[in-house]
Structure formats: C-alpha cells, structure tokens
C-alpha cells in the first residue's frame, strides 16, 4: 500500500523544503515532487512534515516510592502517539539480587503485548559485581547498549564511585553507554533528614534539600570518572546551570560528555513546587525544579549543543492517590512527572515559535540526535528514503489549552494545566500505519516492536 503526504514543508535536522513524501508499506520510498497517484493521499498544505518524536527517557509502570508509575505501556504509548512521539526508550530495572537478563525479560513481558509504538529499552543497574559486569556485554548483544546508574537515592538505586567506575571501565571494552542520574545522594540525604527533624515537611522542601550545587558536583564527578575510564557519558534529566557548566567544562577539555534536559526544567520552576497547600507535590521530581533563572541557561545549552537531546523522564503518579503518600513528609512523595504526550508541542511552542531554536534544531533535539546517540538510526529519527515511515504532520497554528481533562496520559493532573500553546500533531504515523488522525486514535496494543539498538554513536555535531 502506498501513501502520499502532499504539499507539506518537510523538515529534517539539516533541511526544510516544500515537498511530498511517498511511503510504500512501512518505509519512506522517496521525498520530492511529481509522484502521481497513491492508495492514500494526506493533504499537508500549511503543515510541517517531520519525523516522529523519539523520547529516550520514560518510566512506564516503574515501581518507585512505594507505588507504581500510573501509565503502563498501553496507556503511556498511546499518549505518546497522541503527542507526536512514535518511539520511546524505557528503563528496565535490575532487581536487587537478580540478574540484568531478568530485569530485561520482565520489561519485555510488560511492554511487548501492550505497546502501541516501537520501543527500545535501557537497563537501570542497581548492583555491580563481576557477573553483572559480564552480563552488560550480553545485554548489548540483546540490543540494550545503555545503562543508567544513580548517584542519588541511597538504599534504592544509588551506587558508590567504585561501582560506577567499574561499570564505566566495562563500557570502555564493550562499547556500552553509561547514562547518569547525577545528584550527590549522600549530602542530599543528610539535608532531608535535617529538614524533616526541623518540621519542614511541605513539598517545596524537596527542592530546597536538593540544591543545584549538588547536581553540579555529581555531574562533574561523573564526567571525571568517565574521563578516567576513557568512555563517553550521558547525563540524564539535567536541570541546572551548575550541571550544565560541568558538562560544558568537560566538553571544552575534550571529554565525550553529553546531556539531555526535559520540558519541566525549561518551563516550570521552584515556584511551582512552592504552590500553596500540598499542590507543590504535583511538581516533585528529581533533580527538582530550579529557580526560574536557570531556564535561560538551559535554552542556551540547547542552542550551543552542550545539550543534545530533549526527553521527558515521563514518570507519572496520580495526585490524589499517589503523591498523597507524602502528605506529611515531602521525602515520601513519589518522584516523577507526566510529560510524554506534551514534549513535541511544548518544545515547538516554547522553542521554535518563541524564537529560541529553528525547526531543524527542533527535529534534531526531538528525533534525530536521540536516534543517532541511542543506536536507532538510520531507520528512525529522520525522513529519508529507506527510513521507517514514522511521521508527524504538524499544524503549527492550532491553538490548544493543555489540561488534565483533554490529555491521554493516565494521570489525574497536568503540570501545564491551562497553558495556551500553538501546535498540534494532526496525523501521526508509525511505519506507514496511521496512529492518530482527525482527532481519532487508530493504534493497536502490541503493534509496537521491540527495537534492538546498536551501540552509542555520537555522530557529527555531537562529539
Ligand atoms: O523524579 C524522577 N526523575 N523520577 C523518575 C526516576 C528518575 O530518577 O529518573
Ligand atoms: Zn533519574
Ligand atoms: Zn528517569
């Protein structure tokens, strides 16, 4: 079956041109003009035609903070598709005392029957031992070449520097990529206990006990350890000027340090955590939201390529039933925010429409760089003959109001409630199949495929 997307402005990371896109089956056949008839024709006049988004940081059904993230692979990937994201890379978790293979198998069991969109997996490694280090090689052979380590959450996920350095040294041999949650968990833990002892229990104290200096310190340490091991490192959910400066310094002296930020750090701030009553709990995530003056620096990092990716860290918890676990103790509020559905439009509206970045840089940040760095190219992340027909027809003029009432994520609030944005993914396609059109969802649970990824590839412009 052939589909022709006609008369749109086709945007890739390097070009923007008026053209038609011809799709044959699951793949793009050609981009140009004068293709004649097709089985289906989609009119894209006045629209941008862009690659489906790739969100390399999601947590569907993550067991965390005494509960589970509220989106599963069915609801979360449907919401992703509604928002223009056609591929996610989620984090499988190694349980204490268990192997990496078991963690991966558990996640495949959850994801395969449910996912509406294609997905890859990273592994969260909680324990380092000789057998675990050897298993990292096996994971890479199974298409999982990236491993998230934590410098925070003592007793839950945190690893010491020796373990981190051992894991990094292994990736020097096997070509894997370490992704780092960089916050100084030890110092933060002391502050948390001190604040609670002083009776400071409200949500804003989550932010005050996790200062940006401790993200900067851990980011610097992660990069120094990677430099010593002679490997690249990727800093996840970078939130602050301090951490960005550590990345810049590392890159300036030639270390392969890379980083992502997330929409919540570009648009929300400590003021949201400080909303009256318990409402601030809706905004509890780690690293925490920062004072608003960090945001301009993060935008600059996206322009200068010191930040290469925008992901979401989608990890939703219901306000009423789950965030409430920390009613009298901010440290018991489950950490994480919903976001997988909003990224595409938020980055377009606040990034392109607001004049921070070009449409081409938008595509680079939201699809092309994630595909390249996480081993999904050349099939994903761009529009080119032979690539998967993962395509968004985007109307930049549609006004929308973000709201819990209209979103598709399975969570009872929106971090952006009432925010007016322009831009709508009108048609969303995966491998030639229409997932969203005319305000209707046509996806199928289980239709998404597990993507075995190749090893890390920084590519031109990112190294
Ligand atoms: O608060 C967050 N970020 N929750 C998800 C887990 C993580 O650290 O990414
Ligand atoms: Zn993290
Ligand atoms: Zn995360």
């Amino acid at each position: 079956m052939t589909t022709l997307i006609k008369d749109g402005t086709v945007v890739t990371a390097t070009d923007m041109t008026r053209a038609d896109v011809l799709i044959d089956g699951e793949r793009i056949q050609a981009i140009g003009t004068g293709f004649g008839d097709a089985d289906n024709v989609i009119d894209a006049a006045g629209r941008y035609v862009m690659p489906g988004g790739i969100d390399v940081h999601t947590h569907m059904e993550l067991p965390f903070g005494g509960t589970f993230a509220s989106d599963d692979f069915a609801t979360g990937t449907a919401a992703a598709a509604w928002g223009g994201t056609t591929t996610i890379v989620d984090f499988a978790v190694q349980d204490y005392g268990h192997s990496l293979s078991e963690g991966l198998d558990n996640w495949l069991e959850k994801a395969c029957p449910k996912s509406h969109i294609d997905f890859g997996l990273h592994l969260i490694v909680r324990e380092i031992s000789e057998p675990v280090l050897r298993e990292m090689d096996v994971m890479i052979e199974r298409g999982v070449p990236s491993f998230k380590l934590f410098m925070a959450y003592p007793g839950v996920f945190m690893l010491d520097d020796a373990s981190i350095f051992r894991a990094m040294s292994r990736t020097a041999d096997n070509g894997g990529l370490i992704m780092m949650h960089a916050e100084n968990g030890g110092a933060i833990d002391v502050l948390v206990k001190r604040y609670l002892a002083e009776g400071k229990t409200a949500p804003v104290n989550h932010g005050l006990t996790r200062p940006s200096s401790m993200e900067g310190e851990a980011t610097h340490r992660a990069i120094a350890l990677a430099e010593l091991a002679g490997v690249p490192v990727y800093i996840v959910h970078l939130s602050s000027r301090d951490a960005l400066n550590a990345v810049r310094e590392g890159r300036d002296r030639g270390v392969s340090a890379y980083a992502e930020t997330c929409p919540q750090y570009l648009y929300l701030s400590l003021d949201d955590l400080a909303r009256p009553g318990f409402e601030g709990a809706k905004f509890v995530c780690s690293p925490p939201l920062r004072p608003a003056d960090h945001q301009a620096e993060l935008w600059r990092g996206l322009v200068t390529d010191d930040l290469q990716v925008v992901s979401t860290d989608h990890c939703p918890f219901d306000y009423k039933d789950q965030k409430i676990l920390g009613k009298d103790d901010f440290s018991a509020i489950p950490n994480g925010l919903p976001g997988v559905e909003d990224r595409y439009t938020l980055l377009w509206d606040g990034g392109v429409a607001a004049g921070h970045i070009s449409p081409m840089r938008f595509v680079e940040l939201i699809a092309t760089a994630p595909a390249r760095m996480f081993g999904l190219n050349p099939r994903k992340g761009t529009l080119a003959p032979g690539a998967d027909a993962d395509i968004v027809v985007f109307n930049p003029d549609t006004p929308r109001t973000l709201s819990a009432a209209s979103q598709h994520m399975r969570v009872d609030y929106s971090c952006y409630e009432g925010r007016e944005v322009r831009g709508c993914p009108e048609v969303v396609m995966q491998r030639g199949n229409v997932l969203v059109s005319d305000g209707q969802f046509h996806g199928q649970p289980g239709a998404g495929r597990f993507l075995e990824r190749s090893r890390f590839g920084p590519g031109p412009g990112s190294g």
Side-chain angles (χ1 to χ4, degrees), residues 430-444:
Q430 172 127 76
R431 287 184 274 102
N433 296 313
V434 173
L435 300 183
V436 177
S437 68
D438 301 320
Q440 301 290 320
F441 188 72
H442 312 284
Q444 291 292 329

Side-chain angles (χ1 to χ4, degrees), residues 304-324:
T304 60
D305 203 43
D306 287 312
L307 297 171
Q308 295 80 30
V309 170
V310 175
S311 66
T312 60
D313 193 10
H314 176 75
C315 189
F317 297 99
D318 274 330
Y319 177 60
K320 283 208 189 80
D321 298 339
Q322 296 182 292
K323 292 282 185 182
I324 198 75

Side-chain angles (χ1 to χ4, degrees), residues 57 59 62 64 91 124 148 150 153 157 181 183 206 236-237 264-265 284-287 313-315 317 334-337:
H57 192 149
H59 299 284
L62 177 73
F64 197 39
F91 288 86
I124 288 176
K148 183 177 178 186
F150 287 78
Y153 304 129
F157 288 127
H181 180 128
E183 288 186 289
H206 173 77
V236 293
H237 46 45
Q264 54 267 35
Y265 303 119
V284 166
C285 60
S286 295
D313 193 10
H314 176 75
C315 189
F317 297 99
N335 282 209
L337 307 185

